[in-house]
Amino acid sequence: MSRLIVEGLHKLDGETAIHGAKNSVLPVLAATLLAEGESEITNCPRLSDVRATASILRHLGCEVSTEGDVVTVNPAGLCRSDIPDHLMREMRSSIVFLGAIAARTGEAQLSFPGGCELGPRPINLHLSALRRLGLEIEEERGRLNCRTGGRRLRGAAVTLEQPSVGATENLLLASVTAEGTTSIINAAREPEVVDLCRYLNACGAQITGAGESTITVEGVERLNSCRHRVLPDRIETVTYLAAAAATGGRVTLTHTDPTLISSVLPAFEEAGCRLDWAENSRRLTLTAPDRLKRITSVLTMPYPGFPTDAQAPVMAMTCVAEGTSVFIETIFDSRYRHVDELARLGAHIKVEGRVAVVEGVPELSGAQVECTDLRGGAALVIAALAADGETEITALRHLDRGYDRLEEGLARLGARIRRMD
């Protein structure tokens, strides 16, 4: 079993590059099913979720190759419309294949997806939205049997009950080759949704309004392939910033986009950090004080609000801040599972429903902890970097789903961290 060994109390200092976004590359790879010809997706991070996505594409009959940060997909050999249970269970975002497979083959057979256990994340929004486009869906013993009835899906006006990223992406994939016009009302505005639209439009789709609350899709008969570069990972950016802040360090992040985390940067400034970046720059430098100040309140919200994925990393740095910080989680019911593990390191956190109150302590202490989920695992790494002594972190499969060799990037900045198998 792999584990990370972290020796804390070493300030981070130096420069490292940010990888491509996990939450962007997965739907883009699913979208390659719709293109005729070979798509080349660059700036792909090396993640277990990306490998799982490639496995699904290969199972469907696609030719997939990887070289460095480039994944090439040719769907010419597509011969199946089903995804077996063991592949669906590897990641929550596997449900995004539903819209793409149904649009391309006229049918789809999938089981319910897996991924991090963050509380109920029903896919009813996906299913009700796709039914509006004419997809017939039967739910039977944990599986979805879907078909179009031998005809193309047809455009419709679809209003989402909430701005779900996954439901928006599924609607986009299903509607780009549908007959007529589709309007997605109350659509998710996340940068990763915009990036998916950029790829689809480069392939010949006609999508307008990406990044706004209403997206309009004019269906086309076919899509071509293209070369597409995935946008930088905004949550990885936040994770490195929080690690530098927790250790009182100074780091410069390259190949990033500070505008994607404009709702998070004020929290670092409130904590006493100095941020330097120029407009249109792909570099961001954080200089932390010797001890952080409290963050009065963090309220997670859909984009452009404070992202739920950034909550755990930022909470970890407030564990060693001076004063009391308050977090309010509005997206997922079980997003505080990392709190008990942070407490093993000496953090003082009280959770009441969706509210977590963090009483900063002068110093944490090394201990044995276990990753509870992807972003909770990142929080444990950050806390371990700020802890006196040695920390052992296990259940790294969660971290590996969303971070490309996090320990190597931190080591380049001076962290004493190593992976042991």
Side-chain angles (χ1 to χ4, degrees):
M1 180 176 64
S2 296
R3 62 192 188 278
L4 290 179
I5 306 299
V6 184
E7 180 185 304
L9 299 184
H10 296 280
K11 291 186 178 183
L12 299 191
D13 181 75
E15 180 176 301
T16 195
I18 295 300
H19 298 93
K22 163 192 177 289
N23 291 334
S24 179
V25 67
L26 302 182
V28 167
L29 287 175
T32 61
L33 283 174
L34 299 170
E36 294 185 12
E38 190 173 85
S39 286
E40 197 172 84
I41 313 303
T42 68
N43 199 32
C44 292
R46 284 177 274 188
L47 311 172
S48 60
D49 270 11
V50 172
R51 291 194 294 274
T53 302
S55 295
I56 290 174
L57 289 169
R58 291 190 182 101
H59 169 82
L60 295 170
C62 301
E63 184 179 328
V64 184
S65 62
T66 302
E67 185 174 346
D69 69 348
V70 180
V71 177
T72 303
V73 182
N74 189 335
L78 183 67
C79 59
R80 306 182 67 117
S81 58
D82 68 297
I83 302 178
D85 183 69
H86 73 277
L87 289 177
M88 286 296 294
R89 286 181 180 274
E90 288 192 34
M91 57 181 185
R92 172 68 56 171
S93 54
S94 56
I95 192 62
V96 81
F97 273 95
L98 176 55
I101 295 175
R104 182 65 190 264
T105 69
E107 59 182 9
Q109 301 86 38
L110 320 152
S111 62
F112 285 81
C116 289
E117 296 298 328
L118 301 177
R121 289 194 279 179
I123 62 171
N124 61 297
L125 282 178
H126 301 243
L127 305 185
S128 61
L130 292 172
R131 285 185 172 114
R132 291 276 296 152
L133 301 186
L135 186 64
E136 301 170 9
I137 305 173
E138 294 181 358
E139 301 177 50
E140 182 182 6
R141 296 181 181 179
R143 286 194 65 81
L144 303 170
N145 298 310
C146 313
R147 55 185 175 274
T148 63
R151 57 184 178 274
R152 285 170 63 189
L153 295 172
R154 54 187 182 274
V158 182
T159 301
L160 297 176
E161 294 178 13
Q162 59 193 59
S164 162
V165 172
T168 301
E169 291 169 343
N170 248 326
L171 271 172
L172 286 166
L173 295 175
S175 64
V176 285
T177 56
E179 292 184 24
T181 303
T182 299
S183 297
I184 307 173
I185 303 160
N186 198 27
R189 301 167 61 187
E190 271 73 0
E192 294 78 15
V193 171
V194 177
D195 201 36
L196 174 61
C197 291
R198 283 178 50 239
Y199 167 74
L200 291 169
N201 280 340
C203 292
Q206 296 183 16
I207 304 170
T208 57
E212 301 173 8
S213 58
T214 298
I215 299 176
T216 303
V217 184
E218 297 288 347
V220 298
E221 289 191 9
R222 60 189 292 271
L223 296 180
N224 301 309
S225 57
C226 74
R227 179 183 174 91
H228 175 78
R229 181 177 177 84
V230 173
L231 88 170
D233 195 317
R234 58 194 174 114
I235 306 304
E236 185 184 50
T237 300
V238 171
T239 300
Y240 276 103
L241 292 177
T247 62
R250 182 181 189 277
V251 301
T252 296
L253 305 178
T254 64
H255 298 86
T256 188
D257 185 350
T259 64
L260 300 180
I261 54 170
S262 57
S263 62
V264 183
L265 296 180
F268 286 99
E269 292 175 326
E270 184 180 1
C273 300
R274 191 180 81 236
L275 298 167
D276 298 296
W277 57 286
E279 194 166 345
N280 300 321
S281 170
R282 291 171 57 82
R283 297 171 62 88
L284 172 61
T285 299
L286 177 141
T287 306
D290 288 336
R291 189 177 184 194
L292 297 172
K293 302 174 185 177
R294 69 169 187 167
I295 301 174
T296 307
S297 178
V298 168
L299 176 69
T300 64
M301 295 286 286
Y303 194 85
F306 194 102
T308 180
D309 281 356
Q311 174 255 109
V314 173
M315 178 185 288
M317 80 183 204
T318 64
C319 290
V320 291
E322 185 175 7
T324 302
S325 303
V326 178
F327 293 80
I328 306 168
E329 174 60 52
T330 71
I331 308 297
F332 294 126
D333 291 336
S334 302
R335 198 96 214 214
Y336 292 138
R337 296 180 64 207
H338 55 282
V339 166
D340 288 343
E341 297 301 304
L342 289 173
R344 291 175 179 269
L345 298 169
H348 291 176
I349 306 172
K350 182 178 180 181
V351 175
E352 195 70 45
R354 291 180 175 266
V355 179
V357 179
V358 183
E359 295 282 353
V361 297
E363 195 173 82
L364 300 173
S365 300
Q368 290 187 336
V369 292
E370 180 178 330
C371 296
T372 55
D373 57 82
L374 171 54
R375 306 306 174 184
L380 294 179
V381 173
I382 293 165
L385 293 170
D388 183 25
E390 189 174 88
T391 298
E392 180 179 308
I393 306 173
T394 58
L396 302 186
R397 65 186 183 280
H398 294 296
L399 270 180
D400 294 340
R401 287 186 48 240
Y403 290 96
D404 187 338
R405 298 160 296 170
L406 179 61
E407 69 278 6
E408 294 182 18
L410 291 170
R412 283 194 293 272
L413 297 172
R416 302 287 178 86
I417 180 172
R418 67 187 188 277
R419 180 181 288 246
M420 298 186 67
D421 295 319

